Amino acid sequence: GISSVSSCGAIHTVAPPATRPAARSARPLPSREAARMERHVNALRAMKDRLPAMQVCRDPSSLRAAVTGLPSALTPASLAAHFKAKADAVVAAIACGTRRSITLQWQGAGAGIDPTGARKTHLEVTRATDPASLAAREAIDRWYAERLGYLLEELRVRGLLATTLVVWGSEVSEGDNQNGMTFVLAGGSALGLQTRTALAHPVNGDEGLGRTTARRLDNRAVADLWATVAQLCGGNQTSFGDVQDCGGILPGLMAPT
């Protein structure tokens, strides 16, 4: 867990600076590069064909789910299709070099959409402790994890995962605050990320004191995570945001050199 005085989007991808495109050459591409280029072009065509059929939510207020479940236009299947289209656009943007940093925010703070279609909202099951709500929370987390898995696999097959760092998180922890938050980092092996590692930074002090506890020198903040991500992507800063909220680079996230 990480003590935090800030929040973040659902999925954030960061790629290092792209090199300047080389001049066109008349020589044919090696077979591996030609196959990669063909996959990329085919993926762009498929995404272009699929986007016109996507339902568009023109009323942001409809994203707030009622207790009876999802709005009629937002079924689990349509939500999955929306995410797939967004993930495909992210991968295409990184592959084309048009974006270096991308954030996918699934829903607004407190929107409470349950993508599994259960009768209670995500916000309600997060705050509840009864067995049914705990089971619903697990199903919701699994649904989002499957979406993350799709994004990672698309980056992998396009040869982009090793040079792209993906951060998956939420704006709040299970305690409905910004203390003891959990983040998942994936990809980035070529950038120096230490993969297959679990790090824990328990919150020290009274969580009810909020910012006072978060700024204790023996606590780590979300700002520390982003400072570390910046260094992994080639930056040289040792802090992020307000220096009072940042304790520096998180140990254990960078692979030994």
Side-chain angles (χ1 to χ4, degrees):
I2 298 178
S3 177
S4 165
V5 291
S6 61
S7 60
C8 75
I11 297 178
H12 192 76
T13 65
V14 183
T19 56
R20 184 180 298 276
R24 291 187 177 183
S25 173
R27 291 187 299 178
L29 290 171
S31 58
R32 173 181 284 187
E33 289 301 314
R36 180 181 172 185
M37 181 67 71
E38 184 177 1
R39 286 197 303 270
H40 177 59
V41 172
N42 289 338
L44 288 176
R45 287 172 177 163
M47 182 174 64
K48 179 182 177 182
D49 292 340
R50 189 169 63 251
L51 287 178
M54 294 293 298
Q55 293 182 351
V56 178
C57 177
R58 302 186 183 280
D59 179 10
S61 64
S62 69
L63 288 175
R64 292 189 172 273
V67 176
T68 54
L70 293 168
S72 58
L74 295 177
T75 64
S78 69
L79 286 171
H82 273 79
F83 182 88
K84 186 176 186 297
K86 291 179 179 179
D88 290 346
V90 166
V91 175
I94 294 175
C96 294
T98 60
R99 292 290 185 275
R100 286 181 51 200
S101 179
I102 301 173
T103 299
L104 287 179
Q105 182 172 338
W106 188 250
Q107 56 181 296
I113 295 175
D114 174 3
T116 66
R119 295 187 64 82
K120 286 189 175 181
T121 69
H122 190 182
L123 191 61
E124 288 176 311
V125 300
T126 299
R127 293 175 174 175
T129 58
D130 60 281
S133 293
L134 293 177
R137 186 189 308 173
E138 181 178 339
I140 292 169
D141 291 342
R142 185 182 301 110
W143 191 91
Y144 280 114
E146 290 170 351
R147 308 285 82 73
L148 173 66
Y150 174 81
L151 173 63
L152 297 179
E153 178 63 12
E154 288 301 299
L155 289 169
R156 186 193 67 79
V157 298
R158 302 280 282 279
L160 300 169
L161 186 58
T163 54
T164 303
L165 184 57
V166 180
V167 182
W168 178 36
S170 176
E171 64 171 9
V172 295
S173 65
E174 289 188 1
D176 204 14
N177 56 40
Q178 280 79 44
N179 290 326
M181 298 180 68
T182 299
F183 293 88
V184 175
L185 275 67
S189 60
L191 305 178
L193 176 67
Q194 179 65 57
T195 58
R196 302 179 183 272
T197 301
L199 303 178
H201 296 281
V203 178
N204 298 300
D206 183 358
E207 294 188 19
L209 296 178
R211 198 179 187 92
T212 300
T213 297
R215 282 183 166 177
R216 283 179 47 155
L217 296 179
D218 54 352
N219 280 326
R220 304 311 301 258
V222 174
D224 301 351
L225 171 64
W226 292 120
T228 308
V229 167
Q231 282 217 355
L232 285 167
C233 291
N236 57 10
Q237 64 262 46
T238 57
S239 64
F240 185 91
D242 191 335
V243 294
Q244 295 184 76
D245 295 332
C246 187
I249 304 302
L250 286 173
L253 280 183
M254 293 186 175
T257 57

